Structure formats: structure tokens, C-alpha cells
Amino acid sequence: MELLNGQYRFSGDTDPLQLVEKYGSPLYVYDGERIESQYKRLQTAFPVKDLRIHYACKALTNINILRLLKHLGAGLDTVSIQEVWIGLKAGFAPNDILYTPNCVSMEEINMAVEAGVRVNIDNISILEQFGHEHPDYPVCLRINPHINAGGNSKISVGHIDSKFGISIHQLPHLKKVVDTLGINVEGLHMHTGSDILDAEVFLRGAEILFQAALHFEGLDYLDFGSGFKVAYTENGVSTDVEALGQSLSTRFTEFCEEYGKDLGLMFEPGKFLVSDSGVFFAKVNVVKTTPSTVFAGIDSGLNHLIRPMFYAAHHDIVNVSNPSAKPRIYTVVGYICETDTFGVNRKISDIREGDILGLKNAGAYCYSMASNYNSRFRPAEVLIHKGKDYLIRERETLDDLLNKQIEIPIFA
Ligand SMILES: *Cc1c(COP(=O)(O)O)cnc(C)c1O
């Protein structure tokens, strides 16, 4: 998929306007070829003996996307028991699923054990309970190295007062619990935040994990989480995975020698694999000129794509219907009854009512964060695979909104 003369190009030259015609608006479209090329890029970037790429499925949970990644050889990273169940339904072997919960109940962790998936624990008190209840079940330990990898405050999780992980400063305590209860630690994990821009910072965190790993015998893998950043604008910054891959792989191989065993090198990318495979298409309902601003109001809102409002995230916006017209300045807004602005003062080619706009980087944390706010239907999702388009989720209907509601007789 690329932006060509202001037009979107999906693999097989699928015309986005025809897709919107066929499936309606608004519409999420994902290009499977792009997901595959991102996956292969990561694979090539880390030349180690045992690389394990686990797709962090909270980014985009459609079961077909999970299966596509499974076909490519990925494992799965899950953060809830529901994601575990979807992963199993998608056909992942329990062994290829890592469950990394935070602040969940022991009951939920027990369900993950029942499902047979790998369990990542990020809290000493839970680890103690776990050790008592499941003395033989192997665990991974989520360590917080307190390296701040950047990103915004909502996604950065490595700072000192973060709720995530077991602080590296608690290593002696952790070690005591593990030894006393005879817990089988199979992996160590860190996930510091969502944007790695600086390989040096990342390597500093990795070094802390290596040093911690020397305290645990019988490890099977080290999991470095994610934080691979993709560009959200044409010249936007992204993680140089090739450079990171070179330096980390060299250091990792060296560490394995020191440790005396070839460990698995694990990553859990979400955004990197799916973000720029996706485009969100919406129709312009109104063009409204006020004394200071020209608004383009689309048939969507923060209910369908909340990242700009929630994270102040930037999504490039293009006019797919009128790509070569003269650009003008627009503020693109939604139809929700509160401020829901997708982009302020954007240069977009002349917008007419009825035009279709495309919002880029709509693969990760877009549909998966969508809601029914204002009682709107969530959109349909389409996957392009080998040049053909497949509907992978229907647009919702009124039945979906009313489905779980119970009408009590008093008011009927
Ligand atoms: C969200 C999450 C990821 C994926 O992060 P991205 O920025 O989408 O790559 C990986 N691991 C864990 C534990 C997460 O919570």
C-alpha cells in the first residue's frame, strides 16, 4: 500500500472507492501484503538462532488477522483471557500464546493455566499465590527495568511509578520467592513503552534484563516486548529495526554464550505489524465554513477511531475522491455530540460533500478501540489478500446494539 499521486494503492491495485461502494462507509480496510512484509522485515532484522515474534493482538483482534500472522509463523501476545480464547479459536497452539495480564484476578490467571498457555507474571504477590497453586507450571516474569523508552504518558510503562512489571530493584525479593517456592521460571520479559526511537536506550534496558537473567537457571527465552514505532507521516520517524536488530542480535548471541544456552529471543510487536496496513475510509457529510475555519464533517467519530482524541495521535488524511484537486486547509471532525477532531488545519485536496476521505495508519488500536458511543454501529472490516477483497467483519445493525439488553416488563 502506498500513497501515489494522492491516491491509495493497495496490493493488486484494489480501488478504495470501489470498496466503499461495495461495503459502505465508514470502512476499515487492511492490506495483508503489508502485514506480511512488516513481519518478514522483523524476521530478517534479527539474525539469531531462535527468534520468536509474538503478535500483540490487542492492536487488531480480527480472527482473520490472527490467522494471517499464524500462517506467517507468528506466536501471539495476549493481555486478557478473552484474547487467549480468541487466539486458541484462531488455531494458535497454547504454547505459542503468551498471556501478559496486569492487575487481573487470580481466577483469570487460573483460566489461562487451564487453557495451557504461557503465563507472564508482573507482581510478586500474584507470583506467590501462583507458586502455591501451580507449583510445576512454568512462568515468565515481567521485569520493569525503569528505562523510559519514550512515547506519550498513556503508553509509556517503564517509569519508576509505573503499575507494570516487577521492579528490577526488587530482584533480591523476587529471587527469594522463586527459590523458596521452587518456581520454574522459563522466561524474563520487559516491555518498556510504546515508542523505541533510540536503539541505545533500548539496549540499556536489554542489558538490565541480561544481568537479571544470570540469576535464573533453566530459562527458555527472553522477551523484549515491543515499542517498534512506525511513521505516521510521510517523513515521520520510525524505529530503525535493522540497526536495532544488528546490535541487539550480536549482544544477544554473546549473552547466550555467557549463559551457556541458546535462548529464544522474543518480541511482541502490535503496531509495527499492522498499523500502516490499515486505512479507515469515511464519507464527508458536510463542509461547513465558520468565520475562522472550514470543517469537513465525516460519517464517523471518536466512536470508530479514538486515537487522535485519546492520544493526540496524528493520522494523515487524504481525499481519495478528489486526489489531484488544489489543496485547501480543513479541520476534519466527526459526528459525535462532543468535540471529536481527527485533524486540525490539514492540507487536503479540495473536499466536496460526499467525498471519501482516507485516514492512514488505521490498522493498530483503531477498530480494536472502537465503541458504540452515541448508539452508532461499528464499521465493517475488509482484508485484501493477494489482490482480492474479503469482508472479515460485517457492519453492525440495530440488533447488535439491543442484543444483550433486557426489557423488563414494568416499563414495556
Ligand atoms: C501493547 C503491548 C504490546 C504491543 O505494543 P505495540 O506498541 O503495539 O507494538 C506488546 N507487549 C505488551 C505486554 C503490551 O501490553
Side-chain angles (χ1 to χ4, degrees):
M1 181 203 72
E2 60 195 1
L3 194 59
L4 210 65
N5 304 326
Q7 263 298 10
Y8 270 98
R9 272 289 171 94
F10 289 112
S11 59
D13 268 345
T14 312
D15 178 357
L17 291 177
Q18 274 174 15
L19 290 180
V20 175
E21 184 94 354
K22 185 169 168 185
Y23 299 107
S25 166
L27 185 70
Y28 276 102
V29 181
Y30 314 112
D31 191 340
E33 204 167 86
R34 179 65 184 169
I35 298 175
E36 183 168 346
S37 71
Q38 286 293 86
Y39 182 83
K40 296 204 162 138
R41 200 179 141 201
L42 269 192
Q43 258 187 332
T44 329
F46 294 90
V48 294
K49 284 204 181 120
D50 183 5
L51 179 69
R52 307 181 196 175
I53 300 172
H54 280 203
Y55 168 52
C57 70
K58 71 174 186 283
L60 177 59
T61 329
N62 190 292
I63 198 162
N64 301 283
I65 302 293
L66 268 58
R67 287 190 174 136
L68 189 161
L69 280 148
K70 181 178 170 290
H71 275 279
L72 294 172
L76 208 63
D77 186 66
T78 60
V79 293
S80 70
I81 192 66
Q82 290 79 8
E83 286 187 353
V84 167
W85 291 333
I86 294 174
L88 291 170
K89 174 131 176 85
F92 285 89
N95 235 355
D96 293 330
I97 300 178
L98 178 65
Y99 167 66
T100 300
N102 177 259
C103 294
V104 304
S105 66
M106 197 60 211
E107 286 72 38
E108 183 170 319
I109 293 177
N110 289 342
M111 288 189 243
V113 169
E114 222 162 278
V117 300
R118 296 184 194 264
V119 175
N120 192 3
I121 290 186
D122 87 332
N123 172 341
I124 292 183
S125 96
I126 289 285
L127 182 66
E128 284 174 327
Q129 291 180 59
F130 191 93
H132 283 297
E133 290 187 36
H134 312 284
D136 302 320
Y137 204 90
V139 291
C140 178
L141 301 176
R142 178 171 186 173
I143 304 291
N144 189 338
H146 304 302
I147 294 291
N148 211 331
N152 74 49
S153 62
K154 285 202 177 79
I155 54 177
S156 186
V157 296
H159 46 89
I160 192 81
D161 55 354
S162 163
K163 68 168 185 151
F164 296 97
I166 298 167
S167 167
I168 190 66
H169 306 307
Q170 290 174 294
L171 188 60
H173 183 191
L174 177 63
K175 187 72 176 106
K176 203 185 300 175
V177 170
V178 167
D179 289 344
T180 311
L181 296 175
I183 291 168
N184 172 4
V185 180
E186 64 165 0
L188 290 189
H189 169 278
M190 70 173 213
H191 171 69
T192 52
S194 266
D195 295 349
I196 308 166
L197 285 175
D198 187 345
E200 277 308 306
V201 174
F202 190 82
L203 285 167
R204 258 194 283 145
E207 206 51 53
I208 291 170
L209 207 66
F210 290 142
Q211 295 317 312
L214 292 172
H215 292 88
F216 297 92
E217 283 169 28
L219 290 175
D220 176 42
Y221 57 88
L222 293 181
D223 184 340
F224 290 92
S226 181
F228 299 106
K229 189 177 163 62
V230 295
Y232 274 73
T233 55
E234 210 171 321
N235 299 311
V237 281
S238 59
T239 304
D240 185 344
V241 293
E242 286 73 21
L244 178 69
Q246 273 310 324
S247 36
L248 184 68
S249 301
T250 306
R251 180 64 189 106
F252 185 78
T253 305
E254 200 180 281
F255 173 76
C256 287
E257 251 171 58
E258 188 185 343
Y259 187 77
K261 184 179 173 190
D262 278 325
L263 298 171
L265 172 59
M266 203 164 344
F267 287 107
E268 314 164 341
K271 187 183 279 181
F272 184 84
L273 292 175
V274 297
S275 173
D276 61 10
S277 78
V279 184
F280 180 58
F281 296 104
K283 185 153 70 188
V284 176
N285 283 335
V286 291
V287 175
K288 177 171 180 173
T289 304
T290 68
S292 61
T293 305
V294 184
F295 289 100
I298 60 177
D299 62 347
S300 180
L302 61 80
N303 51 330
H304 295 154
L305 200 161
I306 200 173
R307 296 189 76 259
M309 307 83 184
F310 194 43
Y311 300 125
H314 174 99
H315 287 259
D316 270 356
I317 304 173
V318 292
N319 185 352
V320 186
S321 301
N322 200 16
S324 26
K326 211 167 139 197
R328 296 171 59 199
I329 304 295
Y330 296 93
T331 290
V332 178
V333 294
Y335 58 17
I336 291 294
C337 292
E338 59 187 274
T339 304
D340 59 343
T341 306
F342 289 102
V344 177
N345 294 336
R346 297 293 185 85
K347 219 167 125 182
I348 301 171
S349 52
D350 186 51
I351 296 177
R352 306 151 304 183
E353 289 175 357
D355 279 355
I356 302 297
L357 303 187
L359 282 81
K360 284 172 81 174
N361 285 83
Y365 307 108
C366 290
Y367 192 96
S368 66
M369 294 180 91
S371 75
N372 289 118
Y373 188 44
N374 281 203
S375 295
R376 297 287 184 180
F377 306 142
R378 279 178 293 187
E381 293 179 290
V382 167
L383 174 66
I384 298 173
H385 179 67
K386 295 195 191 306
K388 281 178 70 176
D389 50 280
Y390 298 87
L391 185 64
I392 57 172
R393 191 193 301 258
E394 290 176 47
R395 185 176 309 283
E396 288 179 330
T397 64
L398 192 59
D399 284 344
D400 294 311
L401 295 184
L402 295 171
N403 185 21
K404 293 291 180 192
Q405 297 194 31
I406 297 169
E407 298 176 65
I408 56 174
I410 309 169
F411 304 118

